[in-house]
Each structure stands twice: as C-alpha cells, then as structure tokens.
C-alpha cells in the first residue's frame, strides 16, 4: 500500500466503532476528578524543548532518546509533549494560577509523543488522563491523589490492579543515598552496561530501573532508599501509608520504584496490571516538590499522576468489561424523490433541534435500500414520507423492533409524541 495510506509506526487510529470505549473512560475519569475538586486544564501539544529538558530532566530516557524535537521556521527548538506534567506547571506559572487559593487541583486529557520501540501497550503517540495538584504539602494530598486514581480504576470496574508505592526522599536524603549507591555499584563498574555506567555519576538511582539481565542482577543487594530517608521524609511517607490504610486502599511498598522522570521527590507510585503483558503500568505518578521552582516559579509543592488510556482500555477489554454504548439513531425518514427528500430534510432539522437523532437519505438510495440502511443503523423508529403524507401532514411511525405502527401528525406535536414513545409512556 502507498505510504500515504499508512499510519506512522507506533500510532493508532481510534475508529468510530470503538470510540464509545474512549468516551466511557474519559467520562468516568473526568467525573471522578471533578468530585475531588479538580478543574480541567488544556495546554499546547508542543512546548519549547527547554521546558522538558529542565522539567523532565536531561538524564532521562525520555529527554535523551525519545522526544519528537524539531526546529520551527524561526529556528526555535520545539518538542511534542512527551508527558503532561511539565506543560501544566508552565501554564500555571505563566497564567499566575498559583496566586489563587491553593491547592490548585487540575486534570487533563492529553496526547503524548515518545519515540520508543513500539510493542503491545507501548506507542509513540498515546493518550493520558492526568491529575496535577499544587500547594498541598501534607501526606493527605498524596493519599487523596492516589485515592482519586484508585477510584477511577474501581469505577471503570477494572480488577486485579496492584498499587506499589515508594518514597525516593528529598534532595537532602537522596544525596546520602546516591553516595551509598555509587559506592555499591563501583564494585561492578566493569560489568555494567553503557547506559548504567553513564548514569552512575549523574543519576545513580536510575540503575535500579535497568532492564538488562546483568545490571538487574545487582539491584537485589543494592542499598535501599527507604533506609536513607531523613526524618521529615520518613514521617511524610509514614503519614501517606497511614492514610491509605485509613481509606482501606491496599498497596505494597516496593523500594525499587524509582520512576523514569527526574522531577519526583518523596512519594512515587504505580498501579500495575498483570493482564496486558510487559507494559503493565496503567497509571503512575508521585510528588514533585522541586519542579515548580525548577521551571521558574516560587517554591510550590506539587504532585499528580497520569493514566495511560490505551493501557486501561486494553485491561478493560481483557476483562470483558462493559462500556457505555453510543446512542443509536432514533428515527429514520424514508423518502421517494426530491420533493419528499427536501421535506424530510426540513423535518429532520426540526427534530434534531429538539434533540432527536434523525437520519434521512443523502446518498440517492432507492426506497428499498433506504429501509435496509435504516435496519443497519438499528434505528428505533422509521417513518415513510411520501406525497400523501406531505399533503395530509400526517404519517405512520413504525417501531423497528416489532413493526408496531402509530399515526402521528407532522406538526409541532411530533417531538412530544416521539418523546413519549421513546420513553415508553
Ligand atoms: P509515565 O510513567 O511516564 O509518567 O507515564 C504515565 C503512564 O502513561 C504510564 O503508566 C502508562 O500507562 C502510560 N504510558 C507511558 N508511556 C507510554 C507509551 N509509550 N505507550 C502507551 N502508554 C504509555 C508520566 O507521564 C508523568 N507525567 C505522570 C505524572 C503526572 N507524575 C506526576 N504527575
């Protein structure tokens, strides 16, 4: 097939026949975020590259290898957003949102772009539902954000998801931990992969995330961040766990969760499914108390998460869960010629303005094919508009499920009548 009829590798078409799945997930996610007091925010698809270099971190895989970066016509470096957090922080600073009453609670749906090797559940363009909360430093905020994600998952009916949490401390306790980690890995220096060797000096915690067989064997006995937390970070993490316990949210502490983005401090977490293969993280996030300042704002606590919508839908499909179905056609108007077709078009216009889903022939089909099409649409009712019907201003409404017919007037009472019939009154 010609390349112009092929989508780029790692992208997906979301087709009309499956869009009801997306709508269901988006509706439940938005409703849940709103009951938690979050307001929607929409930020640009692309930002200046520096935002992600500073925000996400120049030593991360995302920034080093995966960004879609290009120069615009004025030679400025632009990047398609690889994640949603940095853009929200930038928008909040630029628009003075931190000057309003805090906490600022936001949610968003965004496309993200990462040049990764595509596989099941891993795309180059994917969709996230995210939540970002600012100005809330207490462990209650961590528990609230985790509980929001947990509620979305539960309200969608998704089962068998495990929650793993960890604390990666603040820069102060992490400095001590980095020393211990470097010391530990020094002994294996000649065995480490090139990426780990490079990270050993700049970002040693990322060594715990290396998937290579040789390097991952070393992490078993590596020092654990939880043993290095300062008193404040320890108290904070204990506070988060106590609140999750109070909410009866089950979790396990996994000291190996370090996350792939540099901005995290203290709590980090992942919701993981075993039903969709190796890319099982359906939702991930954590606290990022230094990020607002890093990007140029006043020091402001921040935290949030993002849920991968393709992955959550994959889990829902694998568990055969129900979605809210798209509404079907309420009424099909079948016609014979130009005169009846124009009449039907005007009638459809009136009924559509009253909120009904109405279809009529726009393909020049024969009467018989129109009836076939009405069946295909699974229309609830059908009405034949011939010249007799136009002259008498009345017609028969046929219920497609059982063929039962009622006479109706084509005047202004039609909407009311149709409404009563549809509601089975
Ligand atoms: P992340 O872990 O990079 O975090 O991505 C969050 C979620 O997006 C993942 O758990 C996964 O479900 C989905 N995801 C990531 N990459 C892909 C991909 N290539 N294909 C399909 N789905 C993917 C962030 O993006 C942070 N901004 C989350 C956050 C918000 N932390 C605090 N606030």
């Amino acid at each position: 097939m010609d390349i112009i009829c092929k989508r780029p590798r790692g992208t997906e078409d979301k087709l009309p026949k499956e869009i009801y799945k997306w709508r269901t997930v988006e509706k439940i996610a938005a409703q849940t975020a709103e009951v938690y007091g979050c307001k929607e925010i929409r930020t640009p698809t692309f930002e200046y590259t520096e935002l992600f270099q500073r925000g996400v971190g120049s030593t991360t895989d995302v920034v080093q290898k995966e960004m879609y970066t290009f120069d615009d016509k004025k030679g400025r470096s632009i990047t398609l957003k690889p994640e949603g957090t940095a853009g929200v922080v930038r928008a909040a600073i630029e628009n003075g949102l931190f000057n309003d009453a805090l906490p600022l609670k936001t949610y968003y749906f965004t496309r993200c772009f990462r040049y990764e090797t595509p596989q099941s559940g891993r795309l180059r363009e994917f969709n996230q539902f995210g939540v970002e909360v600012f100005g809330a430093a207490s462990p209650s905020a961590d528990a609230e954000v985790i509980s929001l994600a947990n509620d979305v998952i539960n309200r969608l009916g998704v089962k068998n998801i495990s929650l793993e949490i960890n604390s990666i401390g603040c820069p102060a306790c992490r400095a001590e931990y980095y020393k211990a980690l470097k010391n530990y890995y020094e002994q294996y220096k000649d065995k480490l992969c090139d990426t780990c060797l490079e990270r050993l000096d700049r970002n040693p915690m990322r060594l715990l995330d290396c998937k290579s067989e040789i390097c991952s064997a070393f992490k078993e006995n590596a020092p654990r961040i939880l043993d290095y937390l300062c008193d404040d970070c320890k108290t904070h993490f204990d506070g988060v766990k106590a609140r999750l316990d109070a909410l009866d949210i089950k979790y396990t502490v996994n000291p190996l969760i370090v996350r792939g983005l540099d901005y995290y401090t203290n709590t980090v977490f992942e919701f993981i499914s075993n039903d969709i293969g190796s890319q099982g993280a359906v939702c991930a996030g954590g606290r990022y108390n230094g990020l607002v300042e890093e990007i140029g704002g006043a020091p402001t606590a921040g935290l949030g998460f993002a849920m991968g919508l393709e992955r959550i839908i994959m889990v829902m499909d694998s568990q055969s869960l129900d979605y809210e179905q798209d509404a079907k056609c309420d009424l099909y108007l079948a016609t014979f010629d130009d005169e009846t077709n124009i009449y039907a078009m005007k009638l459809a216009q009136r009924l559509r303005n009253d909120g009904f889903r109405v279809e009529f022939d726009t393909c020049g089909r024969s009467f018989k094919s129109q009836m076939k099409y009405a069946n295909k649409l699974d229309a609830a009712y059908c009405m034949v508009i011939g010249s007799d019907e136009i002259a008498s201003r009345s017609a028969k409404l046929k219920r497609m499920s059982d063929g039962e017919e009622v006479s109706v007037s084509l005047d202004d009472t039609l909407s009311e009548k149709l409404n009563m019939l549809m509601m089975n009154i």
Side-chain angles (χ1 to χ4, degrees):
M1 199 186 286
D2 199 320
I3 186 141
I4 63 165
C5 284
K6 274 195 170 156
R7 60 178 186 270
R9 193 161 127 77
T11 64
E12 269 182 357
D13 299 310
K14 318 295 189 212
L15 300 175
K17 68 174 187 317
E18 64 188 13
I19 234 51
Y20 68 100
K21 298 181 180 179
W22 288 83
R23 293 228 180 143
T24 304
V25 173
E26 286 165 3
K27 183 170 153 192
I28 289 179
Q31 279 174 350
T32 311
E34 280 171 21
V35 298
Y36 275 79
C38 301
K39 297 263 191 301
E40 188 179 354
I41 185 164
R42 299 183 190 191
T43 67
T45 305
F46 56 86
E47 299 272 359
Y48 291 122
T49 301
E50 208 183 348
L51 173 68
F52 302 115
Q53 286 168 336
R54 291 268 293 282
V56 174
S58 53
T59 61
T60 59
D61 276 356
V62 168
V63 169
Q64 283 186 340
K65 305 183 199 155
E66 297 169 2
M67 294 206 304
Y68 279 86
T69 298
F70 56 95
D71 284 350
D72 71 7
K73 289 188 194 298
K74 284 253 169 74
R76 286 166 298 219
S77 183
I78 297 288
T79 294
L80 302 184
K81 59 177 150 177
E83 57 95 58
T85 312
V88 173
V89 173
R90 195 266 314 132
I93 297 172
E94 189 171 348
N95 296 288
L97 302 189
F98 298 135
N99 303 332
D100 291 341
L102 296 177
L104 167 68
K105 296 175 162 192
T106 64
Y107 76 92
Y108 55 86
F109 295 95
T110 187
R111 287 162 189 253
C112 298
F113 304 87
R114 297 184 193 175
Y115 195 83
E116 297 194 74
T117 309
Q119 66 177 89
S120 174
R122 191 162 72 190
L123 294 155
R124 290 182 173 168
E125 182 190 21
F126 59 96
N127 289 269
Q128 287 185 342
F129 158 66
V131 165
E132 311 294 350
V133 172
F134 301 93
S138 130
S140 293
D142 305 55
E144 192 179 48
V145 161
I146 292 173
S147 159
L148 197 174
N150 192 55
D151 278 357
V152 173
I153 289 167
N154 287 338
R155 286 182 192 199
L156 289 171
V158 176
K159 305 273 178 312
N160 305 329
I161 300 281
S162 53
L163 166 62
E164 299 191 353
I165 65 170
N166 189 21
S167 172
I168 56 169
C170 65
C173 45
R174 220 181 298 160
E176 285 306 303
Y177 179 56
Y178 277 7
K179 272 191 221 156
L181 258 187
K182 272 191 208 166
N183 249 340
Y184 169 79
Y185 275 106
E186 255 340 287
Q187 58 183 314
Y188 303 115
K189 223 171 164 178
D190 51 340
K191 301 198 180 79
L192 293 176
C193 72
D194 288 349
T195 317
C196 283
L197 260 185
E198 196 193 308
R199 283 174 173 159
L200 192 54
D201 281 325
R202 294 169 70 192
N203 195 349
M205 213 158 54
R206 300 279 302 130
L207 270 70
L208 299 175
D209 219 17
C210 182
K211 303 282 180 292
S212 98
E213 214 173 292
I214 297 178
C215 302
S216 32
F218 303 139
K219 67 183 166 198
E220 194 61 36
N221 297 317
R224 299 284 146 117
I225 178 72
L226 293 176
D227 299 328
Y228 289 79
L229 293 185
C230 63
D231 287 348
D232 283 353
C233 289
K234 194 174 171 318
T235 307
H236 186 91
F237 194 45
D238 288 343
V240 176
K241 289 186 288 183
R243 284 161 177 80
L244 292 178
D245 292 338
L247 288 170
D248 206 18
I249 295 175
K250 303 276 173 283
Y251 59 85
T252 49
V253 174
N254 178 354
L256 293 176
I257 293 190
V258 294
R259 308 284 297 121
L261 315 170
D262 269 359
Y263 46 62
Y264 292 106
T265 56
N266 300 92
T267 319
V268 287
F269 57 89
E270 289 183 356
F271 287 87
I272 296 165
S273 161
N274 289 322
D275 292 341
I276 53 169
S278 65
Q279 302 302 309
V282 290
C283 174
R287 201 169 253 291
Y288 45 80
N289 287 344
L291 182 60
V292 176
E293 202 179 356
E294 181 69 40
I295 292 180
T300 308
L303 72 164
F305 68 80
M307 192 173 280
L309 297 184
E310 280 82 1
R311 291 190 192 173
I312 215 77
I313 289 175
M314 276 172 77
V315 179
M316 291 179 71
D317 284 346
S318 79
Q319 297 181 359
S320 306
L321 297 181
D322 285 337
Y323 298 90
E324 224 174 86
Q325 296 292 324
D326 274 343
K328 303 227 168 86
C329 172
D330 296 324
L331 174 64
Y332 188 86
L333 302 173
T335 57
F336 298 97
D337 51 22
D338 269 2
E339 188 203 354
T340 52
N341 188 263
I342 290 171
Y343 187 92
M345 183 163 75
K346 283 164 56 189
L347 185 56
Q349 178 75 6
R350 218 174 78 205
L351 294 171
R352 284 170 177 169
N353 283 339
D354 286 340
F356 295 102
R357 290 160 201 271
V358 186
E359 297 276 344
F360 65 99
D361 179 47
T362 54
C363 299
R365 288 191 169 107
S366 69
F367 181 76
K368 206 169 147 201
S369 334
Q370 288 180 46
M371 295 311 288
K372 260 198 200 156
Y373 182 64
N375 271 319
K376 215 171 181 181
L377 282 178
D378 204 8
Y381 286 89
C382 176
M383 187 191 273
V384 176
I385 307 277
S387 42
D388 287 355
E389 281 77 9
I390 296 178
S392 65
R393 294 185 58 74
S394 68
K396 289 216 167 75
L397 254 184
K398 180 173 168 186
R399 188 159 59 200
M400 300 294 269
S401 56
D402 57 6
E404 194 171 301
E405 288 187 335
V406 277
S407 289
V408 290
S409 159
L410 297 179
D411 63 16
D412 291 346
T413 59
L414 180 56
S415 287
E416 206 180 314
K417 181 79 187 167
L418 198 52
N419 222 354
M420 283 165 67
L421 285 169
M422 306 270 314
M423 288 167 70
N424 244 339
I425 301 174

